[in-house]
């Protein structure tokens, strides 16, 4: 047992607790500390997550009741990092931390390739520092201060300071305790610490993130989070059509609320993650992004009679204005056009744009404003090239040429080519062509005549259909009496071909999914069986039996990938199996279990 075990302080990080234990007992090599704490000197010191918690709990005094599960839930960032993961991922991650084999946990939780990264420097709060020295007589690292996206202390609302400890740059097996040397007194505050709006937003983020450490939400499947946010956004007037989210309005609302902190918190910049959270979730999202969207939902009132473009103010989209992206537009003029609701937004800088609420509608610029004209003249006077001018003005080169011609400005560039318009065809000319074609080919049916003269037929069909219908040749309608099919014989023959096709598909290397469409293609009848299955009961039964479930197919892919890796003499690790088998980041529990079992069996 450990000779001297310090008390565990409130909200103390396990890394900090082990560092103070090392300082009290083992002042020598960090390897000796690992031997005494874990019984294994190859364990790495983890900040957010610590592996081998089961071995650590076995070396701690039983009277302290520090079980492996308690250490994971109360002294690491595990509750925060898995707050929005499904129950299967939570259980899997907890087993890896407590039982060993936690090498893939950072990849599985999105900490390696995600946009939001863990802090590289241990942080502390100057106010918390003073309280620790006054109450405990020593310093320690708090869990809440090491959460991603936190820039202020959730308790004091004071800007966090970076310590002199960067675990990634030091010995990977060493636990470094907080002290007055690496946590200096009165560090200089950042420039944004005097901005009340910024401090309020950062404080909201800090408190919402810290609450996930002690009260994480109930585990939901990933797709349920997408449905939850989709319904919540529509209830706040951000819906479009019958079942969509107005992504432009969502981006505007997010920008209006969080614009003040985007420069000091790049992870909060709205991008694909914000649009993806309002759609069907196919992969996990960083907890910080969940926190930001939940704060936005708390900020937006539930609208009983939703406005098509939100309540405003709306951000200006003029890239040449100093207030670009800031909510300065206070009025939106709405009107109906072609069954669509159009909103026209005019800014004081002269920039005017319009957008519709219907799906597929894009932002349409109506007026670029006087800033565009002035900047264009400056670039022309400076001799800037056409494409460079277009990049500065955030438009395409043709738009630049159009406005140069509109303003009558002299330019060294080649003018835009004018399109030659063809005069509209004459009714009598098209009618004469069709009649002449019929007189020259009296034996052709209407369908054959249409094939030979498609342009004339299509024009008459669109713009002169009544006249066309009265002209010979008269369209003939199909009559009955055709040959009848022997459906029972066809049913038996096609069912036998389906079984042969399924056997061929199972022999394919690499494996392919034995789906209904694949079977139809194999027998040479793509998209043929769908409307005829009522007459082909043997084929319907064969399809039900032969088609392969996605989970079974993915397990076949895992077995093939393992065989390939063995042939290449490569190790059977999870990431190699997943990549070669072509599996998504998160699969069904049975597939994940097969994947893990295949990797473990290789060891």
């Amino acid at each position: 047992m450990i000779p001297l075990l310090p008390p565990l302080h409130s909200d103390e990080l396990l890394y900090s607790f082990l560092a103070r234990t090392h300082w009290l007992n083992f002042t020598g090599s960090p390897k000796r500390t690992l031997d005494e704490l874990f019984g294994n000197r190859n364990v790495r010191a983890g900040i957010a997550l610590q592996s081998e918690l089961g071995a650590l709990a076995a070396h701690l005094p039983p009277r302290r009741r520090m079980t492996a599960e308690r250490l994971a839930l109360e002294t690491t960032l595990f509750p925060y990092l898995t707050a929005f993961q499904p129950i299967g991922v939570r259980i899997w991650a907890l087993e890896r931390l407590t039982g060993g084999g936690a090498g893939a946990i950072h990849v599985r939780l999105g900490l390696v390739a995600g946009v939001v990264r863990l802090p590289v420097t241990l942080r502390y709060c100057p106010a918390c520092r003073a309280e620790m020295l006054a109450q405990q007589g020593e310093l320690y690292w708090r869990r809440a201060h090491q959460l991603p996206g936190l820039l202020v202390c959730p308790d004091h609302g004071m800007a966090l300071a970076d310590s002199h400890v960067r675990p990634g740059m030091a010995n990977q097996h060493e636990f470094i305790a907080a002290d007055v040397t690496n946590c200096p007194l009165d560090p200089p505050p950042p420039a944004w610490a005097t901005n009340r709006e910024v401090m309020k937003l950062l404080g909201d983020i800090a408190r919402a993130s810290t609450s996930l450490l002690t009260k994480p939400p109930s585990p939901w499947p990933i797709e349920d989070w997408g449905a939850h946010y989709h319904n919540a956004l529509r209830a706040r007037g951000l819906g479009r059509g019958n079942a969509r989210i107005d992504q432009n309005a969502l981006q505007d609302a997010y920008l209006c609320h969080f614009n003040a902190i985007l420069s000091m918190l790049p992870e909060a910049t709205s991008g694909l993650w914000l649009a993806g959270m309002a759609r069907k979730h196919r992969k996990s999202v960083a907890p910080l992004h969940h926190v930001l969207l939940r704060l936005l939902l708390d900020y937006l009132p539930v609208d009983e009679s939703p406005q098509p473009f939100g309540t405003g103010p709306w951000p200006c989209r003029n890239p040449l204005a100093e207030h670009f992206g800031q909510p300065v537009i206070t009025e939106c003029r709405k009107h109906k056009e072609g069954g669509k609701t159009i909103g026209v937004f005019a800014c004081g800088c002269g920039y005017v744009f319009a957008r519709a609420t219907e799906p597929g509608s894009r932002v349409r610029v109506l007026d670029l404003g006087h800033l565009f004209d002035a900047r264009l003249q400056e670039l022309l006077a400076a001799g800037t090239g056409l494409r460079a001018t277009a990049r500065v003005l955030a438009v395409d080169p043709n738009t630049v040429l159009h406005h140069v011609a509109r303003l009558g400005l002299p330019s060294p560039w080649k003018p835009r080519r004018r399109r030659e318009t063809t005069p509209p065809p004459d009714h009598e000319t098209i009618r004469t062509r069709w009649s002449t074609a019929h007189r020259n080919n009296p034996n052709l049916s209407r369908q054959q005549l249409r094939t030979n003269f498609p342009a004339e037929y299509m024009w008459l069909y669109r713009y002169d259909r009544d006249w066309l219908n009265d002209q010979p040749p008269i369209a003939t309608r199909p009559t009955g009496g055709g040959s009848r099919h022997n459906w029972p014989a066809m049913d038996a023959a096609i069912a036998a071909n389906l079984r042969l096709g399924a056997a061929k598909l199972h022999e394919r290397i690499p494996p392919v999914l034995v789906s209904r469409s694949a079977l139809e293609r194999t027998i040479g009848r793509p998209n043929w069986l769908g409307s005829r299955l009522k007459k082909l009961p043997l084929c319907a039964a064969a399809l039900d039996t032969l088609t392969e479930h996605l989970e079974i197919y993915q397990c076949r892919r895992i077995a093939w990938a393992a065989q390939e890796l063995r042939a290449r003499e490569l190790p059977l690790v999870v990431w190699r199996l997943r990549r070669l088998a072509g599996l998504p980041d998160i699969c069904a529990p049975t597939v994940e279990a097969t994947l893990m079992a295949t990797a473990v069996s290789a060891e």
Side-chain angles (χ1 to χ4, degrees), residues 504-564:
K504 293 180 180 179
L505 290 175
H506 277 286
E507 295 174 356
R508 295 272 296 272
I509 298 296
V512 296
L513 178 64
V514 184
S515 63
R516 174 172 163 177
S517 58
L519 289 170
E520 290 180 340
R521 290 193 300 269
T522 304
I523 65 174
R525 293 177 178 268
N527 302 323
W528 187 83
L529 294 175
S531 59
R532 299 174 176 85
L533 283 180
K534 291 183 179 180
K535 301 178 182 179
L536 305 171
L538 296 180
C539 292
L543 287 176
D544 291 339
T545 305
L546 298 174
T547 50
E548 188 176 27
H549 195 274
L550 179 61
E551 296 180 11
I552 299 177
Y553 163 66
Q554 291 176 338
C555 291
R556 284 204 302 123
R557 295 282 299 189
I558 293 172
W560 167 79
Q563 185 177 359
E564 285 291 314

Side-chain angles (χ1 to χ4, degrees), residues 358-376:
E358 281 67 17
S361 300
R362 297 182 178 181
V363 175
R364 180 183 177 187
V365 179
L366 303 180
D367 193 345
L368 293 170
H370 60 272
L371 295 178
F372 180 90
D373 294 346
R375 186 62 174 145
L376 175 59

Side-chain angles (χ1 to χ4, degrees), residues 316-318 329 333 343-355 363-369:
C316 177
R317 295 177 174 269
N318 187 357
I329 302 176
R333 294 184 287 107
V344 179
F345 304 84
C347 183
C349 65
Y351 193 86
V352 182
F353 64 94
R355 58 184 177 88
V363 175
R364 180 183 177 187
V365 179
L366 303 180
D367 193 345
L368 293 170

Side-chain angles (χ1 to χ4, degrees), residues 329-344:
I329 302 176
T330 58
E331 183 178 357
C332 171
R333 294 184 287 107
K334 296 181 287 290
H335 64 275
K336 293 287 186 178
E337 182 179 321
K340 297 181 179 180
T341 302
I342 307 295
V344 179

